[in-house]
Amino acid sequence: MKWDLFFQLLVNGLIVGMLYGVVAMCFVLIYKSTQVVNFAQGEFLVLGAWVCLALVTQMQLPFFLAFIFTLIFMAIFGIVVQTVILRPLIGEPIISVIMVTIGLSIFMQSLMNWVFGNDAKRFPDVFGSSDVVSIMGLNVEVAYLLSLVLSVVIMAVFFWFFRFTRHGLAMRATAFDQQIAQSLGISVKQTFAMAWAISAMVSGVAGIVIGIVNSVSNSLAFVGIKVFPAVILGGLDSIVGAVVGGIIIGVLENLAEYADGQWLKIGNLYTIAPFYVLIIILMIKPYGLFGTKDIERI
């Protein structure tokens, strides 16, 4: 048993799992606030990566400035999507809203193929001459360490925002009951727009980090699909569950890769393992580990 490879993959799984947890929080944030499952979340992630790369390579901006401008762009984009596309659907059947997000996903894929092309492109050397550091004998990419730091910071900001800010309290109230929140003077439309703006920004951050590690291409949108098992595992309406589910899926992916390479020799277990977990969780705990159980009269 190759313990060095095992621990290498375990550490990578923990770091990637934290990033999955961040993207999963975007799913949960939109669902809790608007009761919408955004199937275009992966495309939000790719768009953030492409915009940042274009600012760095074509506009010749320093990476830090490109990163800030990308966050601003993604926030505006999220507000526009919610205001122009989804706000007119308030009160419509949930299947209609889901189909619109799927249509948005397909539209964004086509648009990004047209604007940025299909070829994968790499970020220039962002962190200097060394992109890999050694920690206790394990080689960890600097971008992964950056993603770990950003993930922890984003999670801390989420906690502070929902716990101690007026807008966070309004978002929690809206998630609990939209009619009651509106009767208390909370602007539900403004809360919806804020949720989509935050979700788009955080997805953009995740896309940039993943793009630095793996290069930028439209195939990164698959991360949004891979994160969905993490959301179901943790609970579709639980922020804490999103983080826990993301970490579990990230570790599971890498351990599946280890088992596949050492013993099973299936070849694609890394890709399909999260979806096996999704099926099992839906069979055993359909509300997830931390999800709220809905009690309905039949």
Side-chain angles (χ1 to χ4, degrees), residues 5 19 23 36 50 56 77 144 149 188 222 244 251 265 280:
L5 178 60
L19 196 60
V23 180
V36 173
W50 275 125
V56 171
F77 178 77
Y144 275 166
V149 173
V188 174
F222 187 63
V244 174
V251 171
K265 308 298 182 182
I280 294 171

Side-chain angles (χ1 to χ4, degrees), residues 146-165:
L146 172 65
S147 74
L148 179 62
V149 173
L150 285 175
S151 299
V152 172
V153 170
I154 290 171
M155 291 173 186
V157 170
F158 262 67
F159 175 80
W160 171 81
F161 176 78
F162 283 110
R163 187 86 174 180
F164 300 108
T165 68

